[in-house]
Each structure stands twice: as C-alpha cells, then as structure tokens.
Amino acid sequence: KILSLVENASGRKARTEQFITKFARYYTPVVVFSAIAIALIPPLAFPGQSFNKWFYRALTMLVISCPCALVVSIPLGYFGGIGGASRNGILVKGANFLEALTNVDTVIFDKTGTLTKGIFKVTEIRVQNSYSKQEVLHFAACAEVHSNHPIAKSILEAFDGVVDKTLVKDYKEIAGHGIMANVDDKKVLAGNEKLLKQEGIAFSNEDSAGTVVHVAVDGIYAGYITISDEIRLDGAQAIQELKDLGISSTVMLTGDTEETASRIAKQLGLDEYHAGLLPEEKVLKLEQLQGKGNARRKVAFVGDGINDAPVISRADVGIAMGGLGSDAAIEAADVVIMEDMPSKVAEAIKIARYTKKIVIQNIAFALGVKGIFLALGAVGVASMWEAVFADVGVALLTVLNSTRTLMRKTK
C-alpha cells in the first residue's frame, strides 16, 4: 500500500503544476506561430530584408522560448518536497496536498493517541452502594472483554485474574457511549456519562484527572474507574511550533470529559477545545470551524483512530498518525506521520512552504530570463549561444534549485 501511495502521489498535481502544464499547452503554439511570423513577414513585407537573418532570429527565439525549465523544474520541485518529507518520516500522498499545507491556518487535533500516547492505566477506583473495588473492576473487565479500545485493554490489564468469557452474554458496544452486557445474569453498563443518562441511572459526577468509566449493575450505580493517559513528550512543542509558524488557531476535539479536555488543553497551550464529542459530532464541529464564504479557514485535522477517519476525510488536509494509527485513518489521510510525533505536523508545513518558495523562485527566474532574452532576440542582439543558455542553462539552474527541496535538512 505504501508503494501504491508513493506511485499515485505523482498523479496528484499541485495547482501550480496544473497551471504550468496548462500554460505550456497554450504558450508553445503561440511561440511557434510567432517564430514563423518573424521568419516570413519581414522578408516578404519589407523589400531588401534578408530571409536568412530573420530565419536565424526566429530559430533563436524558438530556442529561448522553450518551456523546458518550467515543465521540468516545477514537478521536480514538488517531487523533491515529497521525497524530503518522506526522509523526515512524513508521507505526503500527492503534490496537491503538499501545496495545500502551505495555506493551512487552523490545525485541529484529536486527543487520544495523537496529543496523548494512547497508553492508558487505571489510576483510581471509586465505589458506591456497598460494592467493593474488586467487584467494580471485575464487572468492568467482563463488560470490556471483547473490546479492542485502549481504555478496555487498560481495565483488563488492571484486573488481577482471567475473565471467564462464558459469563458474558448479550454483548453490545454503543459507539461513543460504552458497553452494555449481561455478566453472570446481571445487566452491566460500563461507559461514560451519556450511557448512564441514556439508561436513566443516577450517579455522582466528580472531577477526575483522567478518563472516567462509570459502572452500573442491574440499574444500580456501582462506582467509577479513572484511567489516565500521558501527554506525548513533544505535544507542547508541537503547539508552540505551529504558533511560531503563524497558525492562527490550534484546536482539540475529543470524546473525553470536559475536565480532562480542559486539563490537556491548558498543559499544551491550545487555543480552543471541544469535549464530549461523538464521531459524527466531530465532523460537524470541524465544518463549523472551517466556516463558509470569504471567512472560510483552511483546516488540517490530525488523528489516529478509526473514529477519526470521517473527520480526516472532511478536512482540507487530513493527517494521520501512522505508527499506532488505524488502517482506516491512514487510508483516509492525505499526509501520514510515520513516527507518531505531533511536532512533525509543523515540520510538514515547513517543508511544504519551503517547497513552494523554491517553485516560485524557479517560475520567476525562468520567465524573467526568457523574457529578457526574447526581447534581445527579437531585435537581433541575442545570438544562438545566448539562446542556448536561456534554454538549457536556465533549465539546468532551475533543476538544481529544485533539488534543494530534497536535500533540505531538518533539526
């Protein structure tokens, strides 16, 4: 799949590449017919004019006006940018996405597995209604035994024993809410506040520095388990680097509680956060942040889970964590960060902007030099040697300049 992505990347042209291709399509016939006119009209219209002289000028102008420098160096610049990004652990699926990164002004992050490590540990168990901690943990472990969610795995790891799967029946996973199952003929709920409210179960809502899994047995609240996740080491650095690049807004979207989201956002220095969101609500929130019309923002979304795939697809630039990220997120993303480091988002934007700068340099240099030599060739000042420099020389210089995108070193 990686090979396929790399091969297909060459087929996704940036707008600049598309413009140059279209420009060359019209530019070439105009130049050819202009050269024919220069070779034929003066000798035929003005007596005494030498056909050889004007024919030589026409050939000189044809050589000067060859668009090789543009049609070769521009795609090469983007290929170099994609290659340079891959050397830094960033897979960009096409030149159009590399160019889109240069226009991003808002970066939205998922929390779990993106800004945090996604490695959960049970840190606290609180009980009510005469249940013991071991009983609450046992019921939670039984309810989560069939789930692959990181939170479920952390509960199973904390449970000192082996879960008897034969006791678990009528297992039902409710997306964005939690688990409902029959454990040893008891109806067990394990999930967030939304699940308990949906089932009409009264519970105590206490502030907790982590993700809370509430447990209820036969309609009676048994207690809750607090699970903490660690912030990635480069999380705060990633947000600061984005701000240094002029990104106007950094936002976090999460299905976690308000208290946990607020704590993470404060530690990382995020501009904004939205908590308690279901997957479909994340898409709606992203669309709200994008805005419409002239005030529309260019948004990049960074996520890792299967629930993030719809949001990644909806963003202007979708970025997935490739190390621990789900296949669905990686497939939907335009950019894949292979090392699961959020600071690589800023690096990707730097590479994209550097590539765009090189491309603009090549366009300005090639058109500028050709314009000067075309004017000189039209009045007969430029010889064929100058014409060769304006064609081959300029092409070589722009190609060499394009290779800087591949050789750019990062810190």
Side-chain angles (χ1 to χ4, degrees):
K1 284 190 174 182
I2 295 296
L3 286 173
S4 175
L5 291 174
V6 173
E7 289 168 0
N8 292 335
S10 61
R12 297 188 176 99
K13 292 186 177 181
R15 287 186 179 180
T16 309
E17 284 184 272
Q18 293 172 352
F19 168 75
I20 292 300
T21 303
K22 190 173 183 180
F23 173 77
R25 189 181 303 160
Y26 294 101
Y27 171 79
T28 302
V30 167
V31 166
V32 170
F33 285 114
S34 298
I36 293 172
I38 290 172
L40 298 178
I41 293 175
L44 295 176
F46 304 100
Q49 291 292 327
S50 169
F51 174 77
N52 289 341
K53 181 180 77 172
W54 288 100
F55 184 68
Y56 181 84
R57 287 186 183 182
L59 292 178
T60 302
M61 291 191 66
L62 274 177
V63 174
I64 294 171
S65 59
C66 178
C68 292
L70 293 173
V71 297
V72 173
S73 68
I74 305 309
L76 184 62
Y78 280 108
F79 293 158
I82 292 171
S86 66
R87 290 176 67 182
N88 287 281
I90 304 165
L91 175 62
V92 183
K93 296 184 182 180
N96 53 333
F97 303 128
L98 193 67
E99 186 172 59
L101 276 170
T102 64
N103 301 319
V104 167
D105 55 25
T106 301
V107 179
I108 302 175
F109 291 91
D110 171 52
K111 182 184 78 68
T112 305
T114 303
L115 291 174
T116 63
K117 293 181 179 180
I119 302 173
F120 294 91
K121 291 183 179 179
V122 173
T123 55
E124 184 182 21
I125 302 174
R126 291 287 183 92
V127 296
Q128 288 187 18
N129 298 319
S130 303
Y131 282 94
S132 68
K133 291 184 178 181
Q134 190 61 27
E135 285 177 321
V136 169
L137 189 58
H138 173 257
F139 283 121
C142 288
E144 302 280 6
V145 70
H146 296 298
S147 175
N148 290 321
H149 195 282
I151 289 177
K153 291 179 181 179
S154 69
I155 291 174
L156 290 168
E157 286 175 4
F159 179 64
D160 186 18
V162 178
V163 176
D164 186 355
K165 295 184 179 181
T166 61
L167 297 176
V168 183
K169 298 176 183 178
D170 300 329
Y171 174 87
K172 184 180 179 182
E173 188 167 343
I174 305 171
H177 289 71
I179 305 293
M180 183 184 297
N182 190 309
V183 179
D184 197 16
D185 295 328
K186 293 181 174 64
K187 183 182 178 182
V188 176
L189 302 176
N192 56 24
E193 297 176 7
K194 293 179 181 178
L195 179 63
L196 297 191
K197 288 178 180 178
Q198 179 178 293
E199 297 298 319
I201 297 172
F203 64 97
S204 61
N205 189 7
E206 299 182 27
D207 291 343
S208 180
T211 301
V212 174
V213 176
H214 296 279
V215 179
V217 181
D218 285 337
I220 299 173
Y221 186 63
Y224 67 85
I225 300 171
T226 302
I227 299 164
S228 297
D229 188 12
E230 291 183 54
I231 294 175
R232 290 193 182 276
L233 295 177
D234 64 334
Q237 173 194 341
I239 303 304
Q240 186 57 51
E241 287 184 355
L242 288 171
K243 291 180 178 181
D244 292 342
L245 287 173
I247 299 300
S248 60
S249 182
T250 54
V251 186
M252 180 177 71
L253 303 183
T254 178
D256 219 328
T257 62
E258 175 75 19
E259 294 77 13
T260 301
S262 175
R263 177 175 58 85
I264 297 292
K266 187 175 181 180
Q267 288 178 335
L268 294 178
L270 290 159
D271 298 316
E272 192 176 338
Y273 71 89
H274 300 275
L277 300 175
L278 296 173
E280 59 270 23
E281 292 174 334
K282 285 185 178 182
V283 176
L284 293 174
K285 183 58 67 176
L286 180 133
E287 291 175 345
Q288 290 175 10
L289 292 168
Q290 279 179 320
K292 295 179 181 178
N294 296 330
R296 190 180 185 280
R297 298 177 179 179
K298 294 295 182 181
V299 173
F301 180 84
V302 190
D304 73 304
I306 188 170
N307 290 338
D308 297 324
V311 204
I312 288 173
S313 298
R314 185 64 185 84
D316 296 297
V317 182
I319 303 174
M321 294 291 190
L324 295 175
S326 71
D327 291 342
I330 293 170
E331 191 73 24
D334 308 315
V335 180
V336 181
I337 297 173
M338 304 307 295
E339 300 177 54
D340 284 353
M341 296 173 61
S343 58
K344 290 288 184 181
V345 176
E347 191 58 52
I349 294 174
K350 288 178 187 176
I351 291 171
R353 290 181 179 179
Y354 183 75
T355 301
K356 185 70 176 286
K357 183 176 74 172
I358 297 296
V359 166
I360 291 173
Q361 287 176 359
N362 283 343
I363 293 173
F365 178 70
L367 292 179
V369 171
K370 286 182 180 293
I372 293 170
F373 278 91
L374 279 172
L376 294 175
V379 296
V381 175
S383 68
M384 188 58 74
W385 289 109
E386 279 95 0
V388 169
F389 168 76
D391 175 28
V392 180
V394 168
L396 287 174
L397 289 173
T398 53
V399 165
L400 288 172
N401 193 39
S402 293
T403 60
R404 291 167 58 201
T405 58
L406 180 63
M407 300 171 67
R408 181 179 183 269
K409 293 182 179 180
T410 57
K411 59 183 179 178

